[in-house]
Amino acid sequence: MREVAVVVCALTALAGHALQRSSAPPGSQTDRAADRAAIDKLRQQDIAVTLSRDPVALTDLWTDDAVRLAAGVPAEVGKPAIRASNDRQTANKGFKVLSYVPETKDLTFLDGGWAVDWRTFTASYVESPGGEVKQVRGKVLMVLKKLPDGSWRCFRGMGDVEPVTAGKAGF
């Protein structure tokens, strides 16, 4: 479960892509629409990165000074710590994420190039080829930072994950 929690928390974070700054003032409707469109595109990349489990691509989701928090493990402070954790978590080549379906519940833009995103997700995985398919669900809260080049990265992220059991209520 720890592997799934760390991988999903890391992978849920949005991948950075360059955003074109509009000529409209920051925070305008035009600027927000461009940011929302870019973040929608980034969500699709997040899904692809989650499924691929590429430790470099997983690390690229974070700012250099990021902090990742997950239940039951020490805080991962800075990109090198996040990369080391990603390397450990993806070392088991038999572990495969079969599905990952995030659902954003709220995306709030803050002044100064910040956003807060919270979402739920469901996922399925196997721990080894031919292994039993396991289902999980979780919640993630992220603080996103818009970098000077216009790309977005996760600055702070935390989440939880739990196994899906029959008859258990949703979020």
Side-chain angles (χ1 to χ4, degrees), residues 2-13 49 52-62 68 76 78-93:
R2 180 198 178 303
E3 182 174 273
V4 173
V6 172
V7 168
V8 171
C9 184
L11 302 177
T12 303
V49 171
S52 75
R53 297 185 72 233
D54 176 346
V56 174
L58 294 172
T59 304
D60 287 343
L61 301 172
W62 300 86
R68 183 168 66 186
E76 297 166 358
K79 208 170 192 176
I82 292 170
R83 172 62 192 269
S85 176
N86 290 344
D87 285 341
R88 286 189 303 275
Q89 297 306 314
T90 59
N92 175 1
K93 299 304 179 194

Side-chain angles (χ1 to χ4, degrees), residues 19-94:
L19 296 175
Q20 295 297 321
R21 290 188 182 255
S22 71
S23 58
S28 71
Q29 292 291 19
T30 303
D31 196 44
R32 286 291 180 250
D35 286 343
R36 285 185 188 282
I39 288 173
D40 286 343
K41 183 177 177 181
L42 295 175
R43 289 180 178 138
Q44 295 306 310
Q45 184 177 3
D46 173 49
I47 293 167
V49 171
T50 299
L51 295 171
S52 75
R53 297 185 72 233
D54 176 346
V56 174
L58 294 172
T59 304
D60 287 343
L61 301 172
W62 300 86
T63 63
D64 291 340
D65 56 350
V67 176
R68 183 168 66 186
L69 306 169
V73 297
E76 297 166 358
V77 180
K79 208 170 192 176
I82 292 170
R83 172 62 192 269
S85 176
N86 290 344
D87 285 341
R88 286 189 303 275
Q89 297 306 314
T90 59
N92 175 1
K93 299 304 179 194

Side-chain angles (χ1 to χ4, degrees), residues 117-129:
D117 182 38
W118 84 272
R119 64 182 58 207
T120 60
F121 66 88
T122 57
S124 63
Y125 67 95
V126 294
E127 294 176 343
S128 61

